Amino acid sequence: MAMIDTEAALHEAHRDNHTHRDVNGGWLRPAVFGAMDGLVSNLALMTGVAGGAVSHRTIVLSGLAGLAAGAFSMAAGEYTSVASQRELVEAELAVERRELTKHPKDEEAELAALYEARGVDADLARAVAEQLSRDPEVALEIHAREELGVDPGDLPSPLVAAVSSFGSFALGALLPVLPYLLGAATLWPAVLVALFGLFLCGAVVAKVTARSWWYSGLRQLALGGAAAGVTYALGSFFGTAVG
């Protein structure tokens, strides 16, 4: 009895300790990277415009225009990309469904061969393939996962992708504009808020990577700061040249 309890405790401890990071990042990764994209692009846009020695009003309008244009562009691109990917997967699933209907035994043999190639004994592979092939929907799901690497019941939604992309980009792009909307008259408050946002985004990204939060935050801050500095210099140069 004591041995059974010990084994159960060891199994429980192994289950608790044997966990992995979410390598796909779930919803957190695209949301944070969308916000980061909005932050960097709008900060760079605003610093580039400011480098041309334009009016306060022009900088604010540029930031708002960059927010709207970037968010709509991201949403449209994400919708088209995910919709096209989904349509391709659905077309391939239709092909697989037809094959399962017309040639069930061939598909069953194909599934058995897949398991056998992975090291399963031939007799066991055939038995498993036969059992899984009894239900056409289960068979389709298994074939889709094995051959296409997709789950038919969990295909991405183009609308959700577009809305989430729009929202995350707009949120990030809003940060450099916000100080101006709250009454700031110079560029520096916008730059400081944006850099803080970049550090925060980088630190959050560390949740889905093996890096420490401060390293990831500083790296993103440095990259965003460099982009803002370069565009400010270019804005100054073009402003002088045009003037």
Side-chain angles (χ1 to χ4, degrees):
M1 185 67 178
M3 182 176 294
I4 294 176
D5 291 341
T6 301
E7 290 178 354
L10 289 173
H11 175 73
E12 188 74 20
H14 173 74
R15 187 184 67 183
D16 292 340
N17 292 327
H18 192 72
T19 57
H20 295 284
R21 295 175 184 267
D22 180 2
V23 295
N24 293 318
W27 61 269
L28 180 64
R29 185 177 182 276
V32 172
F33 276 100
M36 200 179 294
D37 191 15
L39 251 172
V40 174
S41 62
N42 218 29
L43 174 63
L45 172 64
M46 291 174 65
T47 53
V49 172
V54 298
S55 67
H56 165 277
R57 184 171 180 272
T58 302
I59 298 173
V60 176
L61 286 176
S62 298
L64 292 174
L67 184 158
F72 280 113
S73 175
M74 287 286 291
E78 196 70 14
Y79 184 92
T80 302
S81 174
V82 174
S84 300
Q85 180 185 10
R86 182 174 179 129
E87 289 163 2
L88 174 61
V89 171
E90 287 174 342
E92 292 301 313
L93 288 174
V95 171
E96 193 64 38
R97 187 177 280 107
R98 285 196 300 272
E99 290 299 311
L100 285 167
T101 302
K102 292 180 179 179
H103 310 288
K105 287 300 180 183
D106 291 339
E107 290 297 307
E108 182 181 315
E110 183 180 315
L111 189 59
L114 282 172
Y115 289 136
E116 191 174 348
R118 294 185 178 183
V120 179
D121 291 339
D123 291 340
L124 180 58
R126 285 194 293 271
V128 171
E130 181 184 357
Q131 187 171 353
L132 292 175
S133 299
R134 290 173 186 170
D135 186 332
E137 290 305 313
V138 172
L140 176 64
E141 182 178 338
I142 298 298
H143 279 274
R145 287 180 175 175
E146 295 291 340
E147 298 175 28
L148 302 176
V150 298
D151 183 351
D154 191 28
L155 298 181
S157 166
L159 183 60
V160 170
V163 171
S164 60
S165 180
F166 181 95
S168 60
F169 184 96
L171 181 62
L174 178 63
L175 281 183
V177 186
L178 196 58
Y180 281 106
L181 299 179
L182 295 177
T186 62
L187 180 65
W188 287 111
V191 171
L192 292 175
V193 168
L195 292 179
F196 175 77
L198 286 168
F199 179 84
L200 187 62
C201 285
V204 172
V205 168
K207 285 187 170 292
V208 290
T209 67
R211 292 288 188 180
S212 60
W213 63 270
W214 59 265
Y215 174 86
S216 184
L218 288 175
R219 178 177 62 183
Q220 194 55 45
L221 186 151
L223 291 172
V230 169
T231 53
Y232 184 87
L234 289 173
S236 299
F237 172 76
F238 291 137
T240 302
V242 171

